Amino acid sequence: MNPPSDEQNRKRVTFAPSTMHVSWTPNLAGLRQSEREAYHFILEFLQQEHASEFDKLQFLQAVVTLSAAVRAQADGSMDDYFPKTVLAKKIETFILEEPVEVLISNVRQQAMLCIVALSQVNPHFYMSQKLDLVCAGISSTFCLPLIVPSLDRKESASLYLQTIQALDDMLHALVMDGTGPNMLILQNFLEIILPWLTLSDKVHEQTRALGTISRMLRFVCNFPELSHVMEFSMSGKLMGLLGLSCMNPSYELGVGASEALHYLFKILVLHRSMKQETESILKDLQKHFRGEWFANIQDLTMFFRKFLSPEERTDVLMVSMEALTSASRHDVCAASKMLTMILKSSMPEIGKVPEIIQFIYHNMSSITEDTAQATIKKILHLLAQTYTDEVILTLFKMEDHSQRGARKPWEILASFPKGYEVIMENLLHRLTPYQKSRGQGASHRTEISPLIATRAIHELLLEPSRRMEVQVLFSSLFMALLLQISFLVLEGAAEIIQDQQHVTEWVDPVSSTVEALKTLMRSAGYGDHVSYVQKLGGWEMLTSPEMHYKGVAVLARAMVLKSCWHSRPIFSLTVRILQELDHANHLTALVFVTELLQCPDVAATVDEVTVHILADWFQYEEPATVKLLLRAVEIFAKHRNMVPQLRILEPYVLNCCHSADSDIVMETLLVLRCLVENLTWQDSSSFLVQLAFTLAPFFEEKSEHLRLAAFEIYRSLLAKVRRKVLVFPLKHQVLNLVVPLVLHMEDVNIDVAQICRPILRRVATILGWWKLKAIFAKRDTWTILRALLEQKANKALWFLKQCEALFNSPQARIRQAAVWFAGQIIQTLGTEDTNEIEEAYSALRHMQEDGDPMVSCLARQTLYVLEAKEKQLVDTPTSCFCSRRSRKSWF
């Protein structure tokens, strides 16, 4: 291949704007006669359109003379006499005008030396000027024909050597920035020179390029300080090209590449190694100077791992892999040898991974040599294990924008058992960002989204040879995919749009993730479970925002009913997920856990730690979460062998009775009814006593459903109480509810009114009120109240307090009965109960303002009767003992 043309090189940069016209008169007073003559000659020459070779040489000498004068001046500048850009452009023209077919003139040589002189005076060259000059000098020199030293061509060979030296001097001068070389300038120069090594098909041009590079690097080695050394990014590319050239069959090319590689290593050692290591490394390098290719490649391997950055290592790999596609068998063998050496051990950190994957994807079919194919596969395998995200994302991008070939990279990725498991674990890790709380620190490397990870998992699951690995990873993959579906269905619209911009063909992420889950289950041998869920419409439910959690429940129920071996590990994994109280998809996890708990084998694994994790979620107070937890408590109770676990959860359940959400309260009461039905007094007496006290406020609830549920639970609770265990505080609580139970026989809810009678009978039984039990069974409310007052007169004050509490009942009929009964009680009290009577009077006076006219009227009538009787007692003298009643015993 021909080297880049002059025109192509000149298109790299452009001159900064300048003028060919000198618009001022410089001060020549400080110049010597020869310097003034040089100035006038330059001025005159610039006005000429054509010039002879002699005039050109005289012009160049004049510029050198004037440059020396300017350099001798303090703060001198060439622009004080001529614009430096004008002179540089003129000299560049001289170089380009020189013929490349033959070397007979020293104008080219003197022009480059003149540039050296100009570079030493102010102002500095623009970068664009330097690159134009280098392009001109390189192309003008490298294109010269091969000149072989001989007796008859002695002068031509000498002129060629002088020209090469002048080119080196110009390059050295232009690469300087102050007191040392500028590595960014060197990088630009190398970008101009390297195409002569890689694109030229002429050995002498390649040799000249290598020699120029070698001498430039040797020049740089002489300086302890280099500017912009950290920004120099060509070390990898240069190392790769020189390493391959070391194995070139041409002796001259091999030696030239070895020398250049030696000086590149030396620069890296001087500026990237620890000071205490520098000397020993340089000594070892010197031993291999101009050595065999194997020694050079050994050194290259060490420098590849120790001294190159990740991006520079990628450049080495890319250069070597490009050589694998060469038509030259020698280049392919050289590249295979070098890649085998540098990748002999583990893969070091690599940058620009997508570039490598793209190259492999597009060039794999063109690599036919067996060793080269094995090398490429090994690179893909190592990258996929270490940089799963970049590899997967790049593969999908290329597949979605090109025709899918017969060589699917997924087959290669799945062909290594250990690698398959590593890749799957990395993909599994990428399924978690959506499901965890936000605010996690961003990685410096590319990370694929959960959508892309899901797609990659699906592709790998389609490979049938990895069944054992799927069994090992099933539980983790199952929950990760299920949680991913939940996120996409319920929350992930924005992320779907974002990812679809990168993966154009994956237009339905939800359905694709569901398909991945189905494929996973089939791969693990659960095809029957997939069909069962399909029969119940579970898969369609999963994709519906409104029915999603029902779909999750159907899926979990299938695992319970169809005896899934992985149920217990999935349960354990889900519980660990629930340890994160800010997990985004905790509802899905809770639904699944709740359904799995119906399996006796799963329930048997529930330990104290698991219960505490579930209990912590009660603090979340979200209605849906609390309902699921209550459902779990109900399942615990139905298993009848989980009393220790229930003891931990019982306080949380009782606390739910005080929720501001009426649905939660109702759900809680239903669960409490289940608990009472399934618990025994012997195992749960403390909880049942607490429950009895918790239920009392619900007797006056406005909601008829809540009120009825509370009475039903209380009836079931009392059914478990025996007279011999009725002690304080439960006996106290039972007595405190006697009057409310009687008065609620007047409840507006017929079911409540009817249930109160059997409850009263049970109360009479456990209290030993045998006479009252018969009355409770058949008589009306008023008869029962009179009987209570007659037979349990010693508890009149208790009954009065209960009546006063019922003055606040939301039901007018109950308030009316309470007022009536309070009036009856007051009439039976003696003077020793003055304080209680005064409190009752005060409450009755307040009831005169009741919103219900019948209640307020009855209150006024009661007060009137009581006041009249009190007045009658005052007016009628009696014995001091006649109106007193005996003191009451409380129990």
Side-chain angles (χ1 to χ4, degrees):
M1 182 179 291
N2 293 324
S5 66
D6 295 343
E7 182 63 27
Q8 288 175 327
N9 279 331
R10 281 196 293 271
K11 285 181 180 179
R12 288 174 172 272
V13 292
T14 58
F15 272 109
S18 63
T19 176
M20 294 294 289
H21 176 66
V22 181
S23 58
W24 64 87
T25 304
N27 183 7
L28 305 180
L31 300 180
R32 300 172 185 173
Q33 179 62 31
S34 60
E35 295 165 349
R36 286 197 292 273
E37 290 176 358
Y39 167 79
H40 288 297
F41 183 84
I42 295 171
L43 182 62
E44 181 181 350
F45 185 88
L46 291 175
Q47 310 303 320
Q48 299 177 10
E49 293 185 5
H50 302 285
S52 65
E53 179 180 327
F54 177 78
D55 289 340
K56 290 180 180 179
L57 291 172
Q58 194 172 0
F59 170 79
L60 293 171
Q61 183 58 46
V63 173
V64 172
T65 301
L66 188 58
S67 297
V70 172
R71 187 178 180 187
Q73 299 171 3
D75 301 324
S77 172
M78 182 59 78
D79 283 352
D80 293 340
Y81 303 97
F82 296 101
K84 188 173 176 178
T85 57
V86 173
L87 299 178
K89 187 65 176 176
K90 197 69 175 177
I91 297 169
E92 180 193 349
T93 304
F94 291 172
I95 297 174
L96 294 174
E97 288 176 347
E98 286 297 293
V100 295
E101 298 82 9
V102 63
L103 180 61
I104 56 175
S105 168
N106 64 349
V107 171
R108 181 187 284 107
Q109 167 195 340
Q110 293 302 317
M112 290 187 285
L113 292 176
C114 185
I115 292 298
V116 174
L118 272 178
S119 67
Q120 297 172 351
V121 300
N122 290 325
H124 298 300
F125 282 121
Y126 295 117
M127 177 61 76
S128 58
Q129 293 174 312
K130 290 187 176 186
L131 297 182
D132 278 350
L133 290 167
V134 171
C135 281
I138 292 294
S139 61
S140 178
T141 305
F142 285 7
C143 282
L144 290 171
L146 177 63
I147 300 175
V148 181
S150 60
L151 292 177
D152 59 334
R153 303 186 63 182
K154 188 175 181 179
E155 292 183 1
S156 177
S158 177
L159 182 58
Y160 170 75
L161 293 176
Q162 293 173 16
T163 303
I164 291 296
Q165 183 61 53
L167 175 63
D168 288 343
D169 292 343
M170 182 181 75
L171 293 174
H172 298 167
L174 293 178
V175 83
M176 294 295 288
D177 183 10
T179 59
N182 184 317
M183 296 302 285
L184 284 180
I185 298 176
L186 175 63
Q187 180 164 301
N188 283 299
F189 290 0
L190 290 173
E191 289 176 350
I192 296 171
I193 299 171
L194 282 175
W196 293 89
L197 173 63
T198 58
L199 301 180
S200 175
D201 55 358
K202 299 177 181 178
V203 174
H204 70 276
E205 291 179 350
Q206 295 175 325
T207 304
R208 288 168 182 169
L210 282 172
T212 301
I213 292 171
S214 178
R215 292 186 293 273
M216 284 187 67
L217 295 177
R218 182 178 62 188
F219 173 76
V220 171
C221 287
N222 295 324
F223 294 87
E225 298 292 335
L226 305 175
S227 62
H228 299 286
V229 67
M230 299 304 296
E231 291 94 320
F232 184 73
S233 60
M234 283 196 69
S235 298
K237 181 179 180 181
L238 194 58
M239 187 180 294
L241 290 172
L242 295 176
L244 292 173
S245 297
C246 285
M247 292 180 274
N248 195 286
S250 168
Y251 175 78
E252 290 182 344
L253 284 177
V255 171
S258 176
E259 289 185 8
L261 194 60
H262 171 82
Y263 292 121
L264 174 61
F265 290 160
K266 191 172 181 179
I267 292 173
L268 293 174
V269 172
L270 291 172
H271 297 280
R272 295 189 183 183
S273 67
M274 305 294 290
K275 289 185 178 181
Q276 58 269 26
E277 299 177 344
T278 302
E279 186 176 351
S280 62
I281 297 176
L282 289 176
K283 286 181 179 179
D284 291 338
L285 279 178
Q286 194 61 37
K287 295 176 183 178
H288 299 157
F289 184 61
R290 294 184 179 178
E292 296 294 329
W293 70 266
F294 186 75
N296 289 318
I297 298 304
Q298 281 185 318
D299 289 339
L300 187 146
T301 301
M302 186 269 286
F303 275 84
F304 174 82
R305 292 182 170 275
K306 188 171 181 179
F307 288 95
L308 295 187
S309 69
E311 289 72 22
E312 291 169 339
R313 294 190 190 110
T314 299
D315 293 337
V316 175
L317 295 178
M318 290 295 293
V319 168
S320 304
M321 289 191 299
E322 286 172 4
L324 290 177
T325 64
S326 172
S328 168
R329 180 173 177 79
H330 178 272
D331 291 345
V332 172
C333 291
S336 294
K337 289 177 181 177
M338 193 164 83
L339 286 169
T340 300
M341 287 286 288
I342 63 179
L343 297 177
K344 195 171 184 179
S345 55
S346 61
M347 173 75 75
E349 184 179 358
I350 299 294
K352 300 185 289 188
V353 173
E355 292 184 16
I356 302 175
I357 302 305
Q358 290 171 11
F359 181 87
I360 293 174
Y361 186 87
H362 291 300
N363 292 278
M364 185 174 289
S365 59
S366 63
I367 299 174
T368 56
E369 203 270 333
D370 292 343
T371 304
Q373 283 187 356
T375 303
I376 283 290
K377 289 182 179 180
K378 181 179 180 181
I379 293 173
L380 179 59
H381 169 61
L382 292 175
L383 288 175
Q385 289 187 73
T386 312
Y387 304 105
T388 306
D389 293 13
E390 287 96 331
V391 172
I392 296 300
L393 184 60
T394 307
L395 286 177
F396 278 135
K397 283 183 177 180
M398 290 186 296
E399 283 191 0
D400 291 340
H401 292 89
S402 64
Q403 294 292 330
R404 303 193 181 203
R407 281 181 175 269
K408 299 185 69 173
W410 306 107
E411 297 175 3
I412 299 174
L413 297 181
S415 62
F416 300 87
K418 292 183 179 179
Y420 181 90
E421 191 169 340
V422 171
I423 294 168
M424 275 294 200
E425 288 176 350
N426 288 336
L427 292 171
L428 181 61
H429 181 68
R430 293 298 174 237
L431 286 178
T432 57
Y434 289 164
Q435 300 154 16
K436 290 184 178 178
S437 58
R438 303 299 188 257
Q440 299 176 353
S443 171
H444 295 294
R445 298 199 67 90
T446 300
E447 288 191 5
I448 60 175
S449 70
L451 298 183
I452 305 299
T454 301
R455 186 181 176 190
I457 289 172
H458 193 191
E459 292 283 353
L460 291 171
L461 286 172
L462 293 173
E463 177 59 38
S465 62
R466 300 275 76 88
R467 298 297 188 194
M468 289 301 298
E469 289 78 7
V470 170
Q471 292 291 337
V472 172
L473 296 168
F474 179 83
S475 299
S476 299
L477 285 171
F478 181 89
M479 283 310 302
L481 290 172
L482 179 59
L483 294 174
Q484 171 73 350
I485 294 170
S486 292
F487 177 82
L488 294 174
V489 171
L490 303 174
E491 304 178 41
E495 283 75 6
I496 291 173
I497 294 172
Q498 180 181 358
D499 279 338
Q500 282 182 334
Q501 294 173 353
H502 300 291
V503 190
T504 54
E505 290 189 6
W506 198 20
V507 294
D508 190 359
V510 175
S511 297
S512 297
T513 309
V514 171
E515 286 302 316
L517 183 58
K518 290 181 183 179
T519 303
L520 172 66
M521 295 179 68
R522 292 190 186 102
S523 299
Y526 296 126
D528 290 345
H529 298 68
V530 175
S531 301
Y532 179 80
V533 175
Q534 181 69 42
K535 182 179 179 181
L536 297 180
W539 300 118
E540 290 76 14
M541 293 179 189
L542 273 179
T543 61
S544 168
E546 295 78 16
M547 303 289 289
H548 176 73
Y549 292 119
K550 288 186 178 180
V552 173
V554 169
L555 182 59
R557 209 168 296 132
M559 304 190 80
V560 173
L561 297 176
K562 306 294 272 186
S563 301
C564 173
W565 182 87
H566 286 92
S567 292
R568 284 187 292 179
I570 288 176
F571 177 80
S572 299
L573 174 62
T574 310
V575 170
R576 289 199 298 273
I577 291 172
L578 289 173
Q579 283 183 289
E580 303 171 26
L581 291 179
D582 55 352
H583 200 285
N585 290 322
H586 66 275
L587 278 177
T588 300
L590 280 172
V591 170
F592 214 82
V593 161
T594 302
E595 292 297 331
L596 287 181
L597 282 172
Q598 297 188 71
C599 174
D601 289 341
V602 172
T605 67
V606 176
D607 55 12
E608 186 175 335
V609 174
T610 301
V611 178
H612 279 293
I613 291 171
L614 294 175
D616 287 340
W617 279 98
F618 274 104
Q619 303 171 22
Y620 201 68
E621 296 184 354
E622 182 189 42
T625 300
V626 175
K627 288 180 180 179
L628 287 170
L629 293 168
L630 292 172
R631 167 80 171 139
V633 173
E634 185 177 7
I635 294 172
F636 281 6
K638 290 180 178 178
H639 280 299
R640 293 181 178 271
N641 60 348
M642 302 185 72
V643 174
Q645 293 89 336
L646 282 172
R647 286 200 186 104
I648 299 172
L649 295 172
E650 284 164 357
Y652 296 94
V653 177
L654 290 176
N655 190 55
C656 291
C657 292
H658 309 297
S659 172
D661 189 315
S662 59
D663 289 341
I664 292 294
V665 176
M666 188 66 215
E667 194 75 23
T668 304
L669 293 178
L670 294 176
V671 171
L672 288 171
R673 181 167 62 187
C674 176
L675 287 176
V676 172
E677 291 172 354
N678 289 280
L679 295 176
T680 64
W681 183 266
Q682 181 179 0
D683 292 330
S684 306
S685 58
S686 177
F687 166 69
L688 295 174
V689 171
Q690 293 181 59
L691 176 58
F693 281 89
T694 303
L695 290 173
F698 287 97
F699 291 176
E700 306 307 323
E701 267 288 338
K702 290 183 180 180
S703 168
E704 295 187 15
H705 297 293
L706 293 178
R707 200 162 65 248
L708 177 60
F711 280 105
E712 288 175 342
I713 297 170
Y714 193 63
R715 179 178 64 177
S716 299
L717 188 154
L718 291 182
K720 295 181 178 293
V721 179
R722 297 294 178 264
R723 187 176 180 185
K724 62 181 179 180
V725 300
L726 185 64
V727 295
F728 182 87
L730 182 58
K731 185 174 182 180
H732 188 285
Q733 195 268 350
V734 170
L735 286 169
N736 268 336
L737 291 178
V738 171
V739 172
L741 287 170
V742 176
L743 296 189
H744 271 283
M745 292 173 66
E746 299 297 316
D747 198 290
V748 295
N749 186 303
I750 297 176
D751 294 329
V752 172
Q754 290 177 347
I755 203 173
C756 285
R757 191 177 294 277
I759 295 175
L760 282 169
R761 293 178 61 193
R762 182 60 188 167
V763 167
T765 299
I766 61 179
L767 288 175
W769 294 355
W770 309 115
K771 292 182 180 180
L772 285 172
K773 182 176 181 180
I775 297 174
F776 289 162
K778 298 180 179 180
R779 300 301 180 91
D780 61 88
T781 304
W782 316 106
T783 303
I784 292 174
L785 290 174
R786 290 191 188 96
L788 271 177
L789 194 55
E790 291 174 1
Q791 297 186 28
K792 300 297 174 182
N794 60 337
K795 296 179 176 56
L797 282 179
W798 272 30
F799 298 156
L800 181 60
K801 289 296 183 183
Q802 293 172 42
C803 288
E804 291 176 17
L806 292 172
F807 287 175
N808 296 316
S809 173
Q811 300 184 55
R813 293 171 63 179
I814 292 178
R815 295 198 303 275
Q816 182 180 0
V819 169
W820 179 85
F821 192 41
Q824 300 299 310
I825 294 171
I826 293 173
Q827 295 182 54
T828 67
L829 296 177
T831 56
E832 70 276 13
D833 301 314
T834 303
N835 292 335
E836 288 79 359
I837 294 173
E838 286 300 324
E839 291 177 6
Y841 268 106
S842 177
L844 285 170
R845 292 189 188 98
H846 179 73
M847 294 301 290
Q848 294 180 100
E849 307 299 327
D850 193 274
D852 187 274
M854 294 184 67
V855 175
S856 60
C857 180
L858 180 60
R860 283 193 292 271
Q861 291 177 355
T862 301
L863 284 170
Y864 176 78
V865 171
L866 292 174
E867 289 171 358
K869 288 191 174 184
E870 182 180 357
K871 184 177 180 181
Q872 181 181 5
L873 288 173
V874 172
D875 293 341
T876 304
T878 60
S879 169
C880 60
F881 294 102
C882 295
S883 62
R884 294 180 180 271
R885 294 187 180 274
S886 61
R887 305 263 330 158
K888 303 169 286 299
S889 64
W890 290 93
F891 297 101

